[in-house]
Amino acid sequence: NAGVTQTPKFRILKIGQSMTLQCTQDMNHNYMYWYRQDPGMGLKLIYYSVGAGITDKGEVPNGYNVSRSTTEDFPLRLELAAPSQTSVYFCASSYGTGHGDGDTQYFGPGTRLTVL
Amino acid sequence: AQSVAQPEDQVNVAEGNPLTVKCTYSVSGNPYLFWYVQYPNRGLQFLLKYITGDNLVKGSYGFEAEFNKSQTSFHLKKPSALVSDSALYFCAVRGWGGYNKLIFGAGTRLAVHP
């Protein structure tokens, strides 16, 4: 049981480039989340999904897009990268409503992205 | 408004001494509260949570947290700190919105000195 996996671990982008951050979970969780972590700022929610085919915006969605075609995968797309998107990105998942452990989110190891 | 405050950027403790990492929250209704730990270059790991019941919650690695409704606090504690406990600690509260949203504090860096 690998939990939540993310690729790549590190990436450097030039301004204006695009990329997709991959996230996969093998716990059959319904809910999945993308966060960014900036120094001293805690985690901010970018997008979330409550099931395959259902996604919605979090606190800081501008400049990002997501899709959820399967239960396991929740990729995050950056279009036209900007220096302000330099951050560490974390994917998380949880069972969701109706499960005894539904509130606990489990995190991947993160992707460190630098935009120059 | 829903929010979490961790008033200390850093906490320094000698190995073997008790440690406390502070957290206060603001949320309407009954709070669901969490502590996570982040080791260098790693993702967040779940430590413990309070949903209901006993105000003292025990979690992983010997940590515990005390829920205090009147003071709206959920402080993380450990009776005897280890150097290996040095990490970044995040308090979080579940917000309302139908998707188990977590609102995180800014984090407290714990440094345990030999």
Side-chain angles (χ1 to χ4, degrees), chain B residues 18-60:
Chain B
L19 70 87
T20 299
V21 182
K22 296 180 180 177
C23 172
T24 59
Y25 66 90
S26 174
V27 65
S28 56
N30 294 322
Y32 287 21
L33 296 157
F34 301 79
W35 276 103
Y36 283 83
V37 60
Q38 184 181 29
Y39 297 101
N41 300 314
R42 302 285 295 277
L44 277 69
Q45 296 180 30
F46 170 73
L47 272 180
L48 52 79
K49 67 181 176 183
Y50 172 83
I51 304 297
T52 187
D54 194 347
N55 288 345
L56 186 64
V57 180
K58 294 190 184 297
S60 305

Side-chain angles (χ1 to χ4, degrees), chain B residues 1 5 10 15 23 26 30-32 41 47 49 51 53 55-56 67 73 77 80 82 86 88 91 93 96 103 110:
Chain B
Q10 179 150 334
E15 187 174 30
C23 172
S26 174
N30 294 322
Y32 287 21
N41 300 314
L47 272 180
K49 67 181 176 183
I51 304 297
N55 288 345
L56 186 64
F67 170 64
S73 67
K77 301 181 180 184
S80 179
L82 300 172
S86 299
L88 189 56
C91 181
V93 65
W96 301 107
I103 300 165
L110 174 67

Side-chain angles (χ1 to χ4, degrees), chain A residues 2-7 22-25 91 108-109:
Chain A
V4 180
T5 57
Q6 293 182 237
T7 56
Q22 301 292 344
C23 174
T24 300
Q25 55 91 9
C91 179

Side-chain angles (χ1 to χ4, degrees), chain A:
Chain A
N1 194 340
V4 180
T5 57
Q6 293 182 237
T7 56
K9 287 186 168 53
F10 306 94
R11 185 72 184 268
I12 298 174
L13 284 181
K14 294 182 179 178
I15 294 172
Q17 287 185 320
S18 300
M19 75 164 294
T20 299
L21 281 66
Q22 301 292 344
C23 174
T24 300
Q25 55 91 9
D26 63 359
M27 296 175 281
N28 202 29
H29 285 171
N30 290 319
Y31 291 13
M32 296 187 74
Y33 313 82
W34 273 106
Y35 295 90
R36 58 177 288 171
Q37 182 183 30
D38 299 315
M41 299 294 289
L43 279 76
K44 301 292 185 184
L45 183 65
I46 305 171
Y47 270 94
Y48 68 94
S49 169
V50 297
I54 307 170
T55 64
D56 207 345
K57 297 177 181 178
E59 302 168 80
V60 290
N62 291 344
Y64 308 94
N65 277 301
V66 294
S67 59
R68 182 102 181 264
S69 57
T70 67
T71 299
E72 295 78 19
D73 300 306
F74 190 41
L76 177 72
R77 178 84 177 160
L78 277 72
E79 304 283 0
L80 298 175
S84 61
Q85 293 178 304
T86 294
S87 189
V88 182
Y89 292 83
F90 289 103
C91 179
S93 69
S94 71
Y95 282 108
T97 304
H99 189 282
D101 191 32
D103 300 286
T104 303
Q105 294 185 20
Y106 296 89
F107 285 78
T111 294
R112 187 175 296 273
L113 175 68
T114 301
V115 181
L116 300 174

Side-chain angles (χ1 to χ4, degrees), chain B residues 71-109:
Chain B
Q71 297 185 2
T72 61
S73 67
F74 189 55
H75 300 331
L76 182 70
K77 301 181 180 184
K78 188 173 182 181
S80 179
L82 300 172
V83 173
S84 57
D85 292 329
S86 299
L88 189 56
Y89 290 80
F90 289 97
C91 181
V93 65
R94 197 186 88 167
W96 301 107
Y99 57 92
N100 295 355
K101 169 184 178 178
L102 284 182
I103 300 165
F104 286 87
T108 297
R109 188 164 301 281

